[in-house]
Amino acid sequence: MIRPHRDHIGRPIAAVTGMGLVTSLGVGAADNWSRLTAGQSGIRRISRFPTEGLKTTIAGTVDAIPVAPYSAADLATAIAEAAGREAIVQAGIGGIRQFPGRLIVATPPSELEWPQLCALYASEDVAAPPGYHRLLAAARTRRFSEFARHVRFASISDRLQETFGTRGEPLSICTACASGATTIQLGTEAIRRGDLDAALCIGVDATVHPEGLVRFSLLSALSTKNDVPEKASKPFSKDRDGFVMAEGAGAVVIEDYDRAKARGARILAVVRGCGEKADHYHRTRSEPSGGAIIGAISKTLNDAGLAPQEIDYINAHGTSTPENDKMEYVSLKAVLGEHLAKVPISSNKSMVGHTLIAAGSVEAVFSVMTINTGTLPPTINYDNPDPDLPLDVVANVKRDASVTTVLSNSFGFGGQNVCLAMTAEPA
Amino acid sequence: MPQPRTEAWITGIGLVSSLGEGLEQHWQRLGSHASPSVAVEEVRYAPYPVHPLVPLDFSKQIPKTSDQRQMERWQRIGVYAAGLALADAGILGKPEFLDNVDLAIAAGNGERDLALDTSILESAGRSGAPGADLNRQLMAGLRPTLYLGQLSNLLAGNISIVHKATGSSRTFKGEEMAGVAALEDAVKRITSDQSDLMLAGAALNAERQDLLLNLELGGALLQGCYRPVWARGKVGGGMVPGSIGVFLVLESPRHAIARGARPYARVSTISATRSHRAPGQAASAAQELFEAIAPSIDSVHPLGVLSGVSGVEPVTHEEATFLDGLARFDLHSVVRAYGSVLGHGVEAHFISGIALAALALSKGSFFAPFQGTESEAIGEQRQVLVTAFGHWRGEALGLVEAVAAGTP
């Protein structure tokens, strides 16, 4: 009997054995990686719907997997399936429709969009009472029961469970823009507890529709630099003016390390640690001292058994909003101290935009690919560095570096802060 | 499955519903001595009956009007109930505890702006085409902070802001199973020593037409007059949504004892699965879950069962089949379908059942029948099984047990 591998406090180890990606840059992790490291942008003018009257008219939409007519639920389902399938194939785990573990998925809001609301409304006689009375009368005809998939929170996870044959009750979670990282945290914790041998963790978002865009616009969160779309997202730059909304799906298969080794799987990386801390300051802003972000980073290092000096590279949350990038710097500085100046940092969002619910998943995949290839993806549009954020930003072109340990940050509205520490397979 | 390292005690409960505020009001209306009655609104949302929340002064738990303004009603209900639970556990306003409280919350989305939706549908909506008109109406009409009132995880966010509970927070989605997942997360983190102190809960504002629309698209609502859940099959079934806020403080015994807190009960098992809902599958899925629990069921005392049955068919019939099958396990069960009195709480439903289970165990007594067909309770329950058959998907069971006197 070989002695089981355990982490620094005796827990089973969670290994990444498969990954899948869909973003505005393309379909598939390899394709995404080659474009990302070439410094290409997936941000473009929105063609899905008319943008007249909107302050922001650009986004990182996923157009490569056509879903007609578009709806957030249907596009999210399609790209989550594509990413999930790629991850399972790479991991080589289970049979067809027989994934030997639980599905943990982060999905966008489940709601009716205007095309469905309008279809319901138009189906009823104008003599019917207006407003929701009329919508309800239309719903009572049972002619629109297929719309239920848009409003059932369990519908995307249900579809994915059927597609992949995952075991047990799937988990559907939301920690806003930290959600993707939370799926990986939940999977890692379950493997460490011995509850699961494997988990399929997917984060997905596909909500570039008029109301989706307007919501963030009204919160003054979006860049309005519409003229040159690929130049709009400029994390850590002095003239950054907001994030660019984007779509995507990231999938990660994580497994108990020993079981993965026993079946001959290639270990892509290890989820060495994860940590989270809630902020009490404001619904959309961080406590000015960075306390909660600092807490999340510190808890992650503690959970991983890592000293700050052991971080080789940071995959930043880096949204390109004035607030986020400043608070991310302040918090990193507080935890990493002088070491921060020596740690290269990139924001993938400079190219793929902010994939919201999916961001933590997408960026976890890019973090693992950084470890696997020794290539640091660039932060493009870094032409005018913010002097208040003295960071070693991987500026505009990729850089070669040997990376063992990546810190990946994810922060969200509602005071959500989640960090992951991913490392190369232990020697 | 690994052995738990410790137990998960319930040391605080906050519950608000159509029946009252706080545990005592619920016990007064539902306890063994009571003749349970319901509070139903049948006119305002006709043809749909709903259970409306008792009037609450939200400022008692959410003193700042600026906070209240940035929440929709479902969040105010939840933040209120969370405050009750923290106060009940004796940790409200105590930063030394609150900074370590981990949140596990079940939520859907919040309310839409019905007046704005109506005005857009009346003017531009009939064409069904998105365009400049829709864009302008949304830009001009949407309240900037409305999205914060809609986001699933902003119930958690508001609890962190208002009550300063800031260990960590996770929000689970998926209708009834969201409540199961939140509680499963909380119990596992306590019993595996990941957390000492958890706040788990959910809230539903049933008094909103947009929620009713979503449920009606799935054919899930009872129409016409209120009737108790087991009496709905003959009129096609359906749920009666109930406004509910429910929160539990879960704690490791070591942590609770150190600060002198007393448990209502302990949550010993949360197990869940998802069948594909072909006829018979939901009942047999739940039976499989029960078979795994059965060895720990005490055969001396009667088993209390709080059924989370929604009234929606055909799954209500499946649950009846499962409950009838309990007789095969050589135990005496006493069933109460609590949706008959609270209404259906969707994300909040399962956690409400766990809260009621803990309440009954702490009283050493069980609930009066919630419907004429339910049998009278006999003897003292030491264990209560809580069932969750999702109205569309998911089957789950929870087992809540009395904490032995003098433990540990």
Side-chain angles (χ1 to χ4, degrees), chain B residues 318-342:
Chain B
E318 295 270 336
E319 182 158 350
T321 304
F322 162 73
L323 293 172
D324 288 345
L326 288 179
R328 288 203 302 275
F329 288 89
D330 189 29
L331 52 84
H332 177 67
S333 60
V334 185
V335 178
R336 301 287 179 262
Y338 60 93
S340 289
V341 287
L342 285 188

Side-chain angles (χ1 to χ4, degrees), chain A residues 107 121 132 153 189 276-277, chain B residues 117 122 166 170 173 175:
Chain A
T107 56
Y121 212 66
Y132 274 74
F153 292 86
E189 288 176 353
E276 56 189 333
K277 182 84 179 109
Chain B
D117 287 352
E122 279 289 301
T166 52
R170 298 172 183 175
K173 305 197 293 186
E175 289 75 38

Side-chain angles (χ1 to χ4, degrees), chain A residues 217-230:
Chain A
S217 197
L218 292 173
L219 288 166
S220 304
L222 298 182
S223 171
T224 55
K225 300 263 169 70
N226 298 310
D227 294 344
V228 188
E230 61 273 20

Side-chain angles (χ1 to χ4, degrees), chain A residues 9 55 60 83 89 94-95 147 174 267 277 295 297 305 313 345 354-355:
Chain A
I9 49 172
K55 275 171 43 185
V89 167
F147 285 178
C174 175
I267 308 298
K277 182 84 179 109
I297 299 171
Y313 169 70
I345 182 168
H354 190 353
T355 57

Side-chain angles (χ1 to χ4, degrees), chain A residues 67-105:
Chain A
V67 170
Y70 160 85
S71 74
D74 291 345
L75 183 56
T77 305
I79 64 178
E81 281 184 338
R85 189 169 290 115
E86 184 187 7
I88 292 171
V89 167
Q90 184 180 24
I93 191 171
I96 293 167
R97 297 190 173 208
Q98 288 185 324
F99 183 85
R102 197 169 193 179
L103 173 68
I104 305 173
V105 64

